């Protein structure tokens, strides 16, 4: 199929979208425009921001890092930009993506900090998970997610970041929305949306998601066409999680009923003001400070410290 | 026709006998959801309506990066 925008010189398309097929250069332009529009519409980036990109080296984080930088340059916005990566300690997986990330940051001239579970919490995920699991039946992604979020928040604040930029794409958000509904985790709705976290509370760094409206397939295509260096890798635990099943389900639905993922996001965005209002009311009563580490917590002790406590007891 | 299919996610290179003509039919035969792959031939990304020819090598890049 040819690009529907290149009418004078028929050009082969690289993707067929609902509104027509696009060639490489029209797709790249379309993708970037959508990211920039998202940033503008939701004010994800403002003058004098200190941006900290949560990066892993995969396609999403390379794309968001590259486009955040391009946005600042195109619109001549005075803001600082750096990258922060968490090394969970997953053998045979994370070290590969971190190699790609180091190279990418060097090329873009963006400073990079890497914080590891090992040095910050005492053990790599590979060792911590089996011990924690024995007592709590927690899945690896559970432990990984809690600790990663904790460290990102802590180190971004330490760096004085005004915002944490993440590479979450449309698929990630649609999955998280459905996961929360299936598990009745309605309070976690505060983590969703193009902007998440509460501004007024300095205990949580605000998170912004420029790729919010970009389907995962388009992000992969963009990274491929831009020739970003990405080796394929899959976390050995990825297929164990609840998310993996939701992901397969949504892809099956999307194939059969195109527009499903976007529909989930649109429903969420329509409900978001209500959910957030509700969440903020609760937050004002509930947010406390962890009495072990001083970071934000919903209980006396934060989730990261709770896991660490289980781990220390298991030694 | 015969095709060589390189699958990034499975890290495999297989020779297969393909009964159809288009990329779409190939994915169907392999039971792969088009949402999860990008199809490449001779270093060029091709769309699902593209016709395949005997002895071609097709590469399936994984959209999903687990982690
Ligand atoms: S798949 Fe699970 S364990 Fe692996 S990096 Fe992602 S959250 Fe962590
Ligand atoms: Zn075109
Ligand atoms: Zn704590």
């Amino acid at each position: 199929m040819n690009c529907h925008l290149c009418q004078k010189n028929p050009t082969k398309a690289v993707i067929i979208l609902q509104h027509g097929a696009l060639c490489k250069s029209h797709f790249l332009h379309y993708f970037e425009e959508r990211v920039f529009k998202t940033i503008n519409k939701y004010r994800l980036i403002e003058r004098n921001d200190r941006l900290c990109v949560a990066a892993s080296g995969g396609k999403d984080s390379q794309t968001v890092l590259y486009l955040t930088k391009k946005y600042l340059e195109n619109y001549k916005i005075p803001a600082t930009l750096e990258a922060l990566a968490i090394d969970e300690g997953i053998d045979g997986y994370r070290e590969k993506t971190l190699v790609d990330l180091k190279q990418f940051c060097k090329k873009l001239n963006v400073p990079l900090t890497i914080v590891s579970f090992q040095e910050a919490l005492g053990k790599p995920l590979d060792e911590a998970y089996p011990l924690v699991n024995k007592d709590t039946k927690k899945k690896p992604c559970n432990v990984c997610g809690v600790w990663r979020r904790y460290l990102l928040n802590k180190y971004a604040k330490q760096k004085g970041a005004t915002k944490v930029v993440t590479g979450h794409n449309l698929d990630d958000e649609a999955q998280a929305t459905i996961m929360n509904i299936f598990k009745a985790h309605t309070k976690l709705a505060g983590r969703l949306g193009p902007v998440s976290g509460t501004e007024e509370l300095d205990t949580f760094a605000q998170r912004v998601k420029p790729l919010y409206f970009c389907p995962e397939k388009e992000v992969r295509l963009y990274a491929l066409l831009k020739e970003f260096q990405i080796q394929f890798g899959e976390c050995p635990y990825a297929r164990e999680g609840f998310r993996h099943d939701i992901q397969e389900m949504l892809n099956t639905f999307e194939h059969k009923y195109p527009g499903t993922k976007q529909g989930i996001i649109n429903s969420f965005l329509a409900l978001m003001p209500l959910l957030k209002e509700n969440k903020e009311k609760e937050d004002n009563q509930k947010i406390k400070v962890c009495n072990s580490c001083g970071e934000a917590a919903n209980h006396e002790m934060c989730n990261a410290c709770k896991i660490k406590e289980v781990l220390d007891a298991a030694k | 026709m015969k095709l060589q299919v390189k699958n990034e996610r499975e890290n495999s290179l297989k020779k297969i006998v393909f009964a159809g003509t288009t990329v779409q039919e190939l994915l169907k035969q392999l039971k792969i959801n088009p949402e999860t792959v990008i199809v490449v031939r001779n270093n060029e990304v091709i769309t699902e309506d593209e016709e395949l020819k005997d002895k071609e090598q097709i590469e399936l890049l994984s959209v999903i990066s687990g982690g």
Side-chain angles (χ1 to χ4, degrees):
Chain A
M1 201 177 290
N2 287 332
C3 173
H4 83 287
L5 295 176
C6 286
Q7 274 157 358
K8 287 198 184 118
N9 310 307
T11 314
K12 279 271 180 207
V14 292
I15 192 164
I16 304 171
L17 300 172
Q18 277 180 4
H19 58 266
L22 295 176
C23 67
K24 174 176 170 177
S25 74
H26 278 117
F27 168 74
L28 292 177
H29 183 254
Y30 157 84
F31 186 91
E32 292 181 3
E33 276 303 296
R34 192 168 39 185
V35 173
F36 293 168
K37 269 188 202 151
T38 305
I39 296 176
N40 288 332
K41 180 170 178 193
Y42 294 94
R43 297 173 174 251
L44 302 188
I45 296 173
E46 290 160 308
R47 300 173 73 83
N48 304 322
D49 261 336
R50 295 177 60 87
L51 303 172
C52 179
V53 177
S56 66
K59 64 179 192 317
D60 302 299
S61 68
Q62 289 197 25
T63 300
V64 82
L65 192 55
Y66 175 84
L67 286 178
T68 301
K69 183 153 196 243
K70 185 161 179 176
Y71 179 87
L72 296 178
E73 286 166 0
N74 279 9
Y75 292 83
K76 301 202 169 48
I77 296 186
T80 62
L81 178 65
E82 61 180 304
L84 173 60
I86 307 297
D87 180 356
E88 303 91 344
I90 302 170
D91 205 29
Y93 170 61
R94 185 56 78 212
E95 60 265 30
K96 283 193 208 153
T97 75
L98 289 177
V99 168
D100 293 337
L101 179 64
K102 281 181 201 157
Q103 269 175 11
F104 196 69
C105 286
K106 207 164 159 194
K107 210 166 93 192
L108 290 187
N109 205 7
V110 171
L112 167 69
T113 308
I114 301 177
V115 178
S116 71
F117 279 11
Q118 168 84 62
E119 92 199 53
L121 293 156
K123 279 206 187 319
L125 182 68
D126 284 337
E127 288 174 31
Y129 153 65
L131 295 171
V132 174
N133 176 271
K134 248 196 271 169
D135 264 16
T136 62
K137 296 283 165 282
K138 277 190 196 303
K139 296 267 185 196
C141 297
N142 224 287
V143 177
C144 183
V146 168
W147 276 6
R148 183 164 48 183
R149 206 170 305 113
Y150 174 81
L151 292 178
L152 274 176
N153 193 56
K154 181 170 167 180
Y155 283 83
K157 271 195 307 176
Q158 225 171 64
K159 289 175 168 300
T162 51
K163 282 168 189 152
V164 175
V165 181
T166 72
H168 289 105
N169 58 47
L170 182 87
D171 290 49
D172 295 326
E173 289 285 308
Q175 288 155 21
T177 305
I178 295 299
M179 286 164 73
N180 289 348
I181 291 178
F182 279 16
K183 298 218 159 177
H185 288 162
T186 47
K187 282 181 208 145
L188 296 185
R191 284 190 197 151
L192 301 176
V195 179
S196 64
T198 326
E199 262 173 290
E200 303 81 54
L201 292 164
D202 60 353
T203 37
F204 282 117
Q206 195 177 27
R207 293 181 166 223
V208 299
K209 304 167 189 166
L211 307 184
Y212 188 80
F213 293 105
C214 302
E216 184 157 30
K217 185 166 175 165
E218 292 180 27
V219 180
R220 179 68 177 97
L221 182 59
Y222 182 83
L224 176 71
L225 297 175
K226 294 296 281 186
E227 297 177 26
F228 294 160
Q229 192 56 47
I230 298 160
Q231 326 174 33
F232 176 76
E234 192 171 28
C235 173
Y237 305 118
R239 296 188 193 207
E240 286 182 39
F242 184 52
R243 180 181 284 271
H244 178 253
D245 292 334
I246 299 285
Q247 179 182 52
E248 291 212 323
M249 178 186 80
L250 291 184
N251 278 332
T252 306
F253 263 75
E254 183 71 38
H255 181 44
K256 208 165 166 188
Y257 310 104
T260 295
K261 294 171 193 169
Q262 184 67 53
I264 294 169
I265 289 304
N266 291 348
S267 304
F268 173 77
L269 287 174
L271 291 170
M272 190 172 67
L274 294 170
L275 290 167
K276 292 215 163 173
E277 199 182 304
N278 197 4
K279 164 111 189 357
E280 262 154 45
K281 266 191 218 144
E282 287 188 6
D283 276 355
N284 289 338
Q285 305 161 351
K286 270 202 181 156
I287 285 276
K288 297 182 187 129
V289 171
C290 169
N291 53 25
S292 167
C293 73
E295 294 288 315
N298 291 322
H299 310 278
E300 302 290 296
M301 190 186 265
C302 77
N303 286 332
C305 286
K306 270 191 216 154
I307 293 176
K308 195 164 181 303
E309 198 182 47
V310 174
L311 184 61
D312 291 341
K315 267 182 212 163
Chain B
M1 69 177 94
K2 285 187 181 133
L3 296 174
Q4 273 203 32
V5 179
K6 208 171 156 184
N7 187 326
E8 186 184 43
R9 195 172 192 202
E10 325 251 85
N11 192 20
S12 66
L13 177 62
K14 284 184 193 145
K15 288 195 177 118
I16 63 154
V17 178
F18 174 43
T21 48
T22 64
V23 170
Q24 190 174 15
E25 289 159 351
L26 173 68
L27 296 178
K28 204 166 175 189
Q29 178 178 324
L30 297 172
K31 298 198 171 66
I32 290 175
N33 184 337
E35 280 295 301
T36 63
V37 287
I38 287 172
V39 185
V40 174
R41 176 179 61 194
N42 301 325
N43 287 319
E44 278 186 23
V45 176
I46 54 176
T47 50
E48 282 174 55
D49 58 306
E50 205 59 29
E51 292 187 0
L52 302 172
K53 294 190 197 74
D54 194 28
K55 301 201 175 61
E56 280 183 331
Q57 197 192 100
I58 305 299
E59 204 176 336
L60 305 176
L61 300 180
S62 176
V63 165
I64 295 159
S65 51

